[in-house]
Amino acid sequence: MPPASFLFCSDPLRPGRPDPGFAHEAAAARATGARVELIDHDALLAGNARAALGRVGEGSAAYWYRGWMVPPDRYETLERSLAERGHSLLTGVYAYRTAHELPGWYATFDELTPKSVWCSLPTGAASPSSAALARLAAPLGPGPGVVKDFVKSRKHEWHEACFVPELADTARLSAVVARFVELQEDFLAGGVVLRAYEPFVAGGEARVWWVDGRPVRVTAHPDTPGQAPSPPLDAVGEAVRRLGCRWVTTDLALREDGAWRVVEVGDGQVSGLPAGDDGEALFAALPAA
């Protein structure tokens, strides 16, 4: 079996080296015999895929991407530009969007995750009107909720731009959504998501790494690196396999009633490891895919 190939983000100040945020992982990948190439993430975000791939020659490699998040339209540009050089991505743009954005994975995990609704919102657009938000929130019924976009929340601004004590309180809902959209600015991903709030016990989230439907690693969530619960994985594994994406993550938390819930699904290529984990065990599993 040929060794795996990876595209890591390069250091913006020293383009010949991996980005410091992924340097240990690149070393772990190389230790498995994997081929490691570097791409310019800033150039990719700017829409200049040719410059982003300046260090990648022609050939026929199939790559995993590993680095900072990429908007799906830029990821599609990356996939197309690699194809022009004879290469491919092991996670195509459709699979990337499916795992990376909540509307792509929600239906597959609907019984395992808080009830959610969403609306698209272009980057730079004004927050939805109060009336539009009231209509959006109606299927969730009364009770508290959480605001996020298709990819991320602003949970560190919990009361200001994330948590809504009562979704039926349209004025408060509008204020939280407007502040969320304002803070996200150009980083708003896809639109606005409203999720029913579910209370979880203290103890952190488990991040499960799946490759071709198999759980190859369970780590702590990067926000709680010292806490790594061990949830049951049978039901989640069935959903992951139905999703059909090759390298994904699921973040699981224990609800106060004892049920394990999927808080988030992500594309494994852009999901973070907790501090202190250099990725050795994870990258050892990827070449076998």
Side-chain angles (χ1 to χ4, degrees):
M1 179 181 296
S5 299
F6 292 89
L7 296 173
F8 278 89
C9 292
S10 61
D11 186 335
L13 300 179
R14 295 175 293 181
R17 299 185 183 185
D19 186 290
F22 296 94
H24 290 298
E25 294 185 26
R30 285 194 177 103
T32 69
R35 172 180 176 176
V36 171
E37 304 282 3
L38 301 178
I39 66 171
D40 186 331
H41 183 259
D42 290 340
L44 181 60
L45 292 189
N48 192 344
R50 184 178 297 275
L53 295 173
R55 293 178 174 272
V56 180
E58 295 184 356
S60 58
Y63 288 101
W64 297 111
Y65 169 72
R66 181 62 181 160
W68 306 115
M69 290 184 181
V70 180
D73 61 334
R74 297 303 192 216
Y75 191 90
E76 184 174 15
T77 300
L78 172 64
E79 183 178 34
R80 186 168 58 248
S81 296
L82 280 170
E84 292 171 356
R85 289 168 166 78
H87 303 299
S88 62
L89 285 168
L90 288 165
T91 294
V93 65
Y94 175 79
Y96 177 76
R97 185 186 291 273
T98 296
H100 185 56
E101 297 186 329
L102 182 142
W105 58 261
Y106 177 77
T108 306
F109 290 83
D110 61 346
E111 296 183 357
L112 304 172
T113 196
K115 188 174 181 180
S116 304
V117 293
W118 58 86
C119 65
S120 297
L121 189 69
T123 302
S127 179
S129 68
S130 295
L133 288 172
R135 290 192 297 271
L136 181 66
L140 300 181
V146 172
V147 176
K148 65 188 297 291
D149 64 19
F150 288 6
V151 177
K152 281 187 170 293
S153 69
R154 298 195 68 93
K155 59 186 176 183
H156 299 297
E157 292 98 3
W158 181 251
H159 294 289
E160 179 185 5
C162 187
F163 180 66
V164 182
E166 174 52 66
L167 289 168
D169 182 350
T170 304
R172 182 61 185 157
L173 173 61
S174 297
V176 173
V177 171
R179 184 59 174 154
F180 173 80
V181 171
E182 178 186 10
L183 291 173
Q184 286 296 86
E185 296 182 317
D186 292 342
F187 294 100
L188 183 74
V192 171
V193 175
L194 305 180
R195 309 200 78 189
Y197 171 76
E198 295 186 1
F200 299 115
V201 302
E205 298 175 15
R207 174 159 288 180
V208 187
W209 301 77
W210 305 82
V211 178
D212 289 337
R214 296 183 301 109
V216 300
R217 187 93 168 90
V218 179
T219 68
H221 189 280
D223 289 346
T224 54
Q227 299 173 306
S230 299
L233 299 179
D234 288 350
V236 180
E238 292 176 6
V240 168
R241 288 183 282 277
R242 288 197 305 271
L243 191 69
C245 300
R246 299 200 60 191
W247 183 11
V248 300
T249 56
T250 53
D251 295 341
L252 305 177
L254 183 63
R255 198 168 59 189
E256 288 183 352
D257 65 359
W260 283 95
R261 302 289 280 165
V262 175
V263 179
E264 196 70 72
V265 176
D267 181 88
Q269 301 176 114
V270 296
S271 297
L273 285 164
D277 191 323
D278 64 4
E280 182 177 350
L282 175 62
F283 286 94
L286 285 164

